[in-house]
Each structure stands twice: as C-alpha cells, then as structure tokens.
C-alpha cells in the first residue's frame, strides 16, 4: 500500500540528505504558491530536488480519505510534486480510491438504531430523498452533522446578510467526510420522479450559500481559487482521474469505475468548485460559472465546465 505522506515526511526529516532535499522543495512550493517567478537556475534546482528523492517513500506517498491531519498530508504531497505537476494537467490523485459497494436496505439501516420508531419511513416511498433524510435522522452522527452545516449555510437567507461561504463549505466537507457514505450517497443521489423530490435533492448542499453567487463568475476564476487550496487541488485531481470520460468506451469511463467517480464527485462538494444539480427536474449537474469573456482561454474554460456538464462518465 502507498505510504502515508505524514509518516514519509517524518522518515525523510530524520535523514540529513533527504531533509536538505525536502527543505529545497518546500521553498520551491512556497515560491509557486506566492506566484513568484523563478530564474532558470532556481527552476533546475527545484526539478533536481524532486529527482533526488529517488527511492524515498515521499515520492510515492499518498493521503487517505477521512484520515487525521489530511490537510497537512496534502501539503506534503504538493510540496513533493510542486515543480513537475499541476492538478489542472491531470496530475495523479493524492487520494487513492477506497470505494465500497453499498446496499439499498433502508429498513435494515433504520433498525440499527434501537428504540426508534421506523414507521415514518413507510410513507416516504414516493419521495426517496425525504426517506433518505429520515434515515439520516435516525443516526445521531448523520443528524448532528447535517444539522450543523444546514444551520451555518442558511444564516442570512432572506435578508441582506451574506452567508459565510467558507464556513458553509467546511460544514459540508465535515458532513460528507465524517458521515458514512451509506447515508450521504443516498441523500445526494436519491432517485426522483417529481419536482418536489428533485428540489429537496438540489437543496441538499444549500445552493444559495455553497453554490450560487449573485452573478456567475468565470470558470477559470473558480479553477484558480481551487488550485490555491491544497484540499481542493487534490480533490480536483482525484475527480479528473476517476471521472475521465472516453467517447469510445462503452460505459464512458476511462477507468470503468462509476462508484469511484461518484465518490470523487462528492469530494468536490464543499470546495471552491462545488457542483450541484442545475434544476429540480433533471439529474444534470454543473459548476456555477460561465465561460463568457474568457478571451483566448475559452477552450480551457469550456473544458473545466465540460468536466461536469457533459461528462459521460459522471
């Protein structure tokens, strides 16, 4: 299995040669983060530092979903790969896939909570999203974290106050990271036959705060915001790797793993590039952005938007 970047860093820092190389890479990554232009000698030194890692466990380390100190781990990963790779160029994902198949027995899930009255689930057959919410409410953890992000993301709604998007995103990430996927996938991907159900599904991530701005920003602005954040940058690379569409493939996916693609899609929620359903009457998803006025970067912008709007794999 891929080594943990936090553990690999500790091993590297205990070795004088590896330590010196790693400190060089930290300076390279810092310069890139601050958009400082490096002269030719500095760029060569950064590239050589990456190559000098050789067989170090740092070079092949990964960060795992739901791990402690994940942000620190991702900072290490991007320090190691800062000079040779970019998330926007389909870098290898720092988050290895850990998809597990989930079953669809709601009643068994509900029965796991002792002493709860499960009869309320019987009347939810026509609205799978409402049923999924009720199942979530039977889990103390799911109910608490869902309530937490909902209260944060709805503050300021209907008034002149602007919601705190950063806190809203953090609350969403906590929900999707810490609640078992058996609950979160059902809430986010519940199948709907009517618009009432579709509206509940669309509002799972509270679009007025986490998704929509007053005016649509350019998609390249969203991308830049994402690449400035280690977490978003990592999840974008994960999404690009697991949701890479292929026209000639029967299932539309290069890796032929739709479950991994859906997991990667869920990872984008709560980042600057948060996607959502575009309406309450379809399963089409998109980013809240536009490619108008993109100038000579129109093609690149269309690619960013197309990863969500017209991705056969997703």
């Amino acid at each position: 299995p891929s080594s943990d970047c936090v553990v690999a860093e500790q091993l590297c820092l205990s070795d004088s040669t590896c330590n010196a190389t790693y400190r060089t890479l930290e300076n390279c990554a810092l310069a890139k983060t601050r958009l400082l232009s490096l002269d030719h000698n500095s760029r060569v030194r950064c590239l050589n530092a990456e190559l000098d890692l050789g067989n170090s466990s740092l070079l092949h380390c990964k960060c795992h979903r739901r791990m402690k100190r994940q942000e620190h781990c991702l900072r290490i990963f991007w320090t190691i790969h800062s000079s040779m790779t970019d998330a926007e160029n389909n870098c290898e994902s720092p988050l290895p896939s850990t998809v597990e198949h989930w079953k669809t027995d709601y009643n068994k899930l509900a029965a796991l909570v002792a002493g709860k009255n499960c009869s309320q689930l019987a009347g939810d057959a026509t609205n799978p999203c409402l049923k999924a919410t009720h199942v979530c409410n039977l889990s103390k953890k799911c109910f608490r974290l869902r309530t937490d992000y909902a209260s944060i993301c709805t503050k300021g709604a209907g008034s002149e106050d602007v919601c705190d998007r950063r806190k809203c995103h953090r609350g969403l990430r906590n929900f999707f990271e810490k609640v078992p996927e058996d609950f979160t996938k059902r809430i986010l991907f519940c199948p709907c036959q009517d618009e009432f159900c579709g509206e509940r599904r669309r509002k799972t991530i509270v679009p007025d705060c986490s998704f929509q701005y007053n005016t649509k920003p350019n998609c390249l602005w969203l991308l830049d915001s994402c690449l400035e954040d280690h977490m978003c940058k990592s999840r974008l690379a994960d999404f690009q790797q697991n949701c890479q569409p292929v026209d000639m493939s029967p299932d539309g996916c290069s890796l032929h793993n739709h479950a991994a693609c859906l997991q990667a899609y869920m990872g984008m929620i709560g980042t600057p590039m948060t996607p959502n359903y575009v309406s309450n009457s379809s399963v089409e998803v998109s980013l809240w952005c536009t490619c108008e006025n993109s100038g000579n970067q129109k093609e690149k912008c269309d690619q960013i938007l197309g990863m969500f709007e017209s991705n056969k794999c997703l």
Side-chain angles (χ1 to χ4, degrees), residues 21-281:
T21 302
Y22 183 64
R23 297 306 181 191
T24 298
L25 286 173
E26 282 189 316
N27 291 330
C28 298
L30 183 62
K32 187 169 185 179
T33 300
R34 295 179 177 176
L35 302 178
L36 301 177
S37 58
L38 299 176
D39 58 33
H40 175 72
N41 290 337
S42 296
R43 288 197 299 272
V44 170
R45 186 163 60 250
C46 291
L47 186 58
N48 285 339
E50 279 198 18
L51 298 175
D52 286 345
L53 285 177
N55 295 323
S56 167
S57 57
L58 268 174
L59 196 59
H60 305 291
C61 72
K62 295 283 187 177
C63 302
H64 302 277
R65 291 176 173 84
R66 301 174 183 243
M67 70 179 290
K68 292 182 179 180
R69 304 182 69 193
Q70 187 183 97
E71 291 193 33
H72 176 66
C73 185
L74 293 173
R75 181 188 63 76
I76 297 169
F77 179 89
W78 292 114
T79 294
I80 302 306
H81 298 279
S82 63
S83 66
M84 294 201 301
T85 56
D86 282 297
E88 61 180 297
N89 293 324
N90 293 320
C91 169
E92 179 185 0
S93 169
L95 302 168
S97 181
T98 55
V99 174
E100 295 181 4
H101 178 70
W102 74 93
K103 298 179 181 180
T104 56
D105 189 350
Y106 285 103
N107 294 322
K108 182 178 179 181
L109 266 179
L112 291 176
V113 185
K116 295 292 183 180
N117 183 0
C118 302
S119 61
Q120 62 176 331
L121 297 174
D124 298 333
T126 59
N127 191 337
C129 291
L130 189 60
K131 184 175 182 179
T133 301
H134 284 162
V135 171
C136 171
N137 291 345
L138 293 174
S139 161
K140 289 182 179 179
K141 189 173 189 178
C142 188
F143 174 74
R144 175 173 57 82
L145 291 175
R146 180 174 172 273
T147 302
D148 285 350
Y149 87 73
S151 63
I152 295 169
C153 298
T154 53
K155 283 183 180 177
S159 69
E160 294 181 358
D161 296 332
V162 179
C163 73
D164 191 326
R165 181 171 282 109
R166 185 180 295 274
K167 285 186 178 180
C168 177
H169 281 167
R170 188 186 307 130
L172 278 165
R173 291 199 306 271
N174 277 337
F175 177 73
F176 284 103
E177 288 172 10
K178 296 179 180 179
V179 174
E181 290 184 359
D182 210 31
F183 294 99
T184 56
K185 283 181 178 176
R186 287 187 173 88
I187 288 176
L188 190 64
F189 302 127
C190 44
C192 289
Q193 301 297 322
D194 59 64
E195 292 194 7
F196 179 75
C197 176
E199 183 69 1
R200 172 172 282 272
R201 179 174 60 191
R202 192 180 71 84
K203 288 188 174 179
T204 293
I205 65 163
V206 197
D208 288 343
C209 184
S210 67
F211 179 65
Q212 296 173 191
Y213 295 79
N214 290 331
T215 57
K216 283 188 176 183
N218 189 279
C219 298
L220 296 174
W221 179 82
L222 285 188
L223 176 65
D224 289 341
S225 299
C226 182
L227 296 181
E228 291 173 1
D229 178 88
H230 287 132
M231 181 74 72
C232 186
K233 185 178 183 180
S234 302
R235 294 183 178 195
L236 176 60
D238 188 48
F239 177 78
Q240 289 177 314
Q241 178 173 298
N242 286 293
C243 297
Q244 185 67 40
V246 178
D247 290 336
M248 300 302 292
S249 174
D251 66 355
C253 287
S254 62
L255 297 183
H256 312 293
N257 191 337
H258 289 280
C261 178
L262 290 181
Q263 186 182 56
Y265 171 85
M266 290 171 68
M268 296 303 300
I269 296 172
T271 72
M273 292 182 70
T274 294
N276 195 18
Y277 296 98
V278 296
S279 74
N280 57 11
S281 58

